[in-house]
Amino acid sequence: MKRTRPARLSLLLALLVVAGCARPPAAVQPKADPVTLKYMHMGVASDGRDRNRYVMQAFPNLVEERYPDIRIKTEMLPEDAYTKSLLMQLSAGEGPDFFEWWPMRQLEELAGAGYLQDLTGMDILQAFSPEALRGFTVDGRVYGLPKGFSMMGAWYNKDLLQRHGYREWPGDWDSFLELCETLKREGITPIVMPGKDWWFLQFGLYPLAGSVIYPEEPDFDQQLLTGNATFADSKWRDVLHMFKLLYDRGYIAPGSLETGAAQAAAWFNEGRAAIVFGGNWDYDSLTVSEGSDSEPGLGSDSDSDPVAPAGSASSAAAFERGFMPLPGNAPGKPLYLSVGPAGGTVISKNTRNLPEVLDALAYQFEAESPLRGEFRRQYRAFPMSPGEDLGIAEFAGYADLMRSGRFVAFSNQAWPVGVAEAMCAGFQDWLAGEGDADAILAAMDRELLRAR
């Protein structure tokens, strides 16, 4: 069962930069009144229905209430279509006034192409801690406004674990395997994993890599980029085998490659599986109670999975949830968390409405504004502002561990585009009975070589 690999963004970007050189931005036109700002955001539902109330409703409506002369027109697209459409527009000197983008390596590519406004020194940056801004900084210049920090880990059913003798979350890999074996032996599905879409596999792999690779090789990703390391000669082989072990032992519910985000969320919320891997972005889909208007879907905007069982995140069973790291560390070795800068908002260099864009975004990050409250409710990101407390009980234990300072960014944030896709698509093939860890590592090295 071969999986189609997504087109490589870096190649597309390179072609568009060349094409864009032949067509300068159009001349600045007089502004109309009111000003309409174009905003792009990835993640529209696959069935065409809006599943992001904040982006489509709260943000434009509350900005208009605050600034009657500003209108915001939002466009949402699935991730692949979003990236291609956006880059085509930017290369032509057009596109939205502002849009959502990813930090670190992918931000560097857009900043290097000259597509982003340099925000260095602007007053709006005072709303963020230096740590939060780091993911949107290139060569000392700031090009974006972060949502905060995102964390990967395991959502789990606390009540179910306690009934089977586990009052504390396992602190190392051996203990985690023991927990899964106990649950399986007692007729409980330990883990449900949506493997239908490749990107969900990252939620199991990066947390394991955090404790297996980076404690001894903190500069591993930099060594990859300089040609001083390869995936084939690294501990990524161990990480891939550790994750595959969960499937081989039957700890992950069968049919993973046909399981979508909504189905996995429903299984967990109905108490049919004890654990699901994900992140803080899954808060609404995995904690909502009966009658909630929050949108279902594990780390996704789609709830159109045709094989999802009856019920959804809005019919969640009443049990206590927890969220803790997936422990990849050996007994007695330190546990490292998988925590990275969240995506954020960047402003196009082509915008003719920079003051209005800055007004709208500053209102979003104003401490006591109603828009700020809606923003925090939607994204559940770790705080970006100095001294801010997230205030969510399910994340308290994870936050305590973060204070140890032992965490590493998501691996793909330092990799060229295409490497993570090769890893996850290759893992899907492995689950389907084709290929193995060596084939995956070779594919990752090929993508890395193309990007150098």
Side-chain angles (χ1 to χ4, degrees), residues 192 194 254-255 258-268 272 297-298 302 305-309:
V192 60
E258 286 71 47
T259 300
Q263 182 181 7
W267 271 57
F268 177 77
R272 298 170 62 183
L298 181 70
S302 171
D305 193 321
V307 296

Side-chain angles (χ1 to χ4, degrees), residues 215-421:
E216 296 180 3
E217 298 182 84
D219 299 326
F220 174 73
D221 292 323
Q222 289 72 27
Q223 293 175 31
L224 286 172
L225 298 176
T226 59
N228 294 318
T230 65
F231 288 106
D233 293 322
S234 75
K235 290 186 177 180
W236 265 101
R237 179 176 286 97
D238 297 335
V239 172
L240 292 171
H241 279 287
M242 288 169 70
F243 194 37
K244 182 66 159 47
L245 183 66
L246 299 179
Y247 292 87
D248 293 343
R249 291 189 177 180
Y251 298 156
I252 292 179
S256 173
L257 291 177
E258 286 71 47
T259 300
Q263 182 181 7
W267 271 57
F268 177 77
N269 283 324
E270 294 169 0
R272 298 170 62 183
I275 300 164
V276 61
F277 300 148
N280 53 309
W281 51 83
D282 295 313
Y283 180 87
D284 281 340
S285 64
L286 297 180
T287 65
V288 293
S289 58
E290 188 74 33
S292 169
D293 61 355
S294 296
E295 296 84 0
L298 181 70
S300 169
D301 294 313
S302 171
D303 68 342
S304 59
D305 193 321
V307 296
S312 69
S314 61
S315 60
F319 58 81
E320 187 177 359
R321 275 85 166 159
F323 181 82
M324 288 292 278
L326 173 59
N329 55 309
K333 297 292 185 178
L335 169 64
Y336 277 68
L337 314 183
S338 189
V339 177
T345 307
V346 296
I347 303 175
S348 172
K349 191 70 179 257
N350 298 328
T351 184
R352 302 171 180 86
N353 304 299
L354 182 58
E356 290 81 6
V357 173
L358 290 172
D359 282 344
L361 293 176
Y363 187 48
Q364 179 174 255
F365 298 115
E366 188 178 300
E368 301 302 324
S369 76
L371 185 57
R372 173 66 173 162
E374 290 287 342
F375 178 88
R376 291 188 67 188
R377 177 183 178 276
Q378 174 68 33
Y379 291 110
R380 312 286 184 182
F382 261 27
M384 69 199 74
S385 304
E388 186 180 13
D389 179 16
L390 193 61
I392 297 177
E394 288 84 357
F395 299 148
Y398 200 112
D400 287 344
L401 290 173
M402 276 191 67
R403 294 188 182 99
S404 70
R406 291 197 297 261
F407 53 89
V408 295
F410 308 152
S411 302
N412 67 324
Q413 293 186 331
W415 295 345
V417 174
V419 174
E421 291 91 329

Side-chain angles (χ1 to χ4, degrees), residues 152 202-210 236 338 410-412 415 420 423:
M152 289 186 187
Q202 298 173 101
F203 305 158
L205 289 165
Y206 298 155
L208 294 176
W236 265 101
S338 189
F410 308 152
S411 302
N412 67 324
W415 295 345
M423 175 182 69

Side-chain angles (χ1 to χ4, degrees), residues 46-58:
S46 61
D47 61 2
R49 291 184 293 159
D50 164 38
R51 301 311 264 170
N52 193 320
R53 189 182 66 85
Y54 177 82
V55 169
M56 300 300 294
Q57 299 174 34

